[in-house]
Amino acid sequence: MKRLILVLSILFFVSCDYFDKKKIDTKTIVNDELKSINWNDVDEYPTFSICDSTNNKKECFQNVLRDRLNAKLSNQNIVVTEDVNDTILLRIQIDSEGVFSIKSIECSDITKAQIPQLDSLLRHSFDSLPKIFPAIKRSQQVATEFSLPVIVNIN
């Protein structure tokens, strides 16, 4: 009988840990959720209102930017002493409010030397963009960054 009581009392004291409920901090839950999100992909790409009717909003958005850039640069009279064939990489950011900005412009040293005003020309080409709707991630407006290649071919 004593052995039975001893075994039962040991089981009673050991089993108390099984009934404890562990409290999970809300910060822990939020941090775990944030770690599980792939921030490199968005649910909806940034867009213009004219792209709402198309199926591929990302392609439409990039085409509108390219068309705007081509229209502005074709009006410029750029004179060079050597042929310029380069691909310029624009690093563009659209913040969560839909504000457009060029973070950086990457081009070769030859292009910089031949077209010293290239930086300002590219930045001013996007001055009068239509309203941009920011990217959406999990029903929240988020900032996005992407690269837009621009091919320059001046003879």
Side-chain angles (χ1 to χ4, degrees), residues 81-98:
T81 57
E82 296 178 25
D83 291 348
V84 176
N85 294 314
D86 192 11
T87 300
I88 299 168
L89 197 61
L90 299 176
R91 301 255 183 230
I92 295 173
Q93 180 184 35
I94 312 293
D95 72 6
S96 60
E97 302 294 320

Side-chain angles (χ1 to χ4, degrees), residues 9 62 91-92 122 130:
S9 42
Q62 290 177 344
R91 301 255 183 230
I92 295 173
L122 291 170

Side-chain angles (χ1 to χ4, degrees), residues 30-79:
V30 170
N31 287 336
D32 290 345
E33 186 68 20
L34 288 174
K35 288 177 185 174
S36 70
I37 297 173
N38 182 0
W39 290 104
N40 294 326
D41 292 330
V42 292
D43 299 334
E44 289 184 39
Y45 205 72
T47 187
F48 297 106
S49 60
I50 58 174
C51 295
D52 286 342
S53 60
T54 63
N55 290 337
N56 193 344
K57 292 182 181 182
K58 178 180 179 179
E59 186 177 314
C60 178
F61 181 78
Q62 290 177 344
N63 287 338
V64 169
L65 288 178
R66 272 197 197 97
D67 292 345
R68 181 66 55 124
L69 182 64
N70 287 338
K72 294 287 184 168
L73 291 180
S74 65
N75 293 334
Q76 301 297 321
N77 187 17
I78 301 172
V79 179

